[in-house]
Amino acid sequence: MKSEIEDAGGHGAILGVTPVGAGVEVRVAGPAGEFSLICTPARSRELAAALARAADEVESAQSAEPVTVTAQELRRGDVRAGDRAMTVETVRVDGAIVHVTWRSDAGRSWTQGYDADAEITLRRRA
């Protein structure tokens, strides 16, 4: 996998991730040169999880406007707008009814049925 990213100075760089032997190589090539690390698969998963958490924090901190979608457009990870965070775990469409399983920050889960065209306002889109 290769992705275009920027260094701290705003210059373009390339991030590459490839399997190498029993490990995973993370390579960054930019104007200042190339840097390479090799880590275990477990460490690479920890790195991916840390990147995902940091991305979530950045998105949460941004003052984005809520978005409204229909129930049938919901997807795993969407967060409903409101006083308490509710995150979509699963969505199952059964004809004109959409069954959405929500999870609260406290870990409680429940399933609600909605008309497929019911509008739901989201705090954050997955």
Side-chain angles (χ1 to χ4, degrees):
M1 177 213 86
K2 290 193 179 197
S3 296
E4 292 184 27
I5 59 174
E6 291 182 358
D7 66 12
H11 304 98
I14 301 294
L15 171 71
V17 179
T18 55
V20 64
V24 176
E25 180 182 33
V26 179
R27 180 182 302 261
V28 178
E34 190 172 290
F35 184 73
S36 176
L37 299 169
I38 296 177
C39 54
T40 65
R43 285 280 183 221
S44 65
R45 286 185 190 92
E46 290 174 11
L47 175 60
L51 287 167
R53 282 191 303 273
D56 285 346
E57 287 179 27
V58 168
E59 288 176 343
S60 292
Q62 294 174 347
S63 59
E65 292 292 317
V67 62
T68 300
V69 299
T70 62
Q72 63 191 350
E73 296 172 314
L74 286 171
R75 55 186 183 225
R76 182 180 175 89
D78 285 344
V79 179
R80 188 166 186 166
D83 295 341
R84 291 173 275 170
M86 299 187 309
T87 304
V88 174
E89 282 190 329
T90 63
V91 178
R92 183 174 57 87
V93 178
D94 185 14
I97 302 296
V98 177
H99 302 276
V100 180
T101 302
W102 299 96
R103 181 183 39 80
S104 70
D105 281 346
R108 190 175 133 244
S109 292
W110 66 97
T111 301
Q112 276 182 268
Y114 298 91
D115 288 335
D117 294 329
E119 292 185 342
I120 298 174
T121 303
L122 302 174
R123 178 188 317 174
R124 185 175 65 225
R125 187 79 175 146

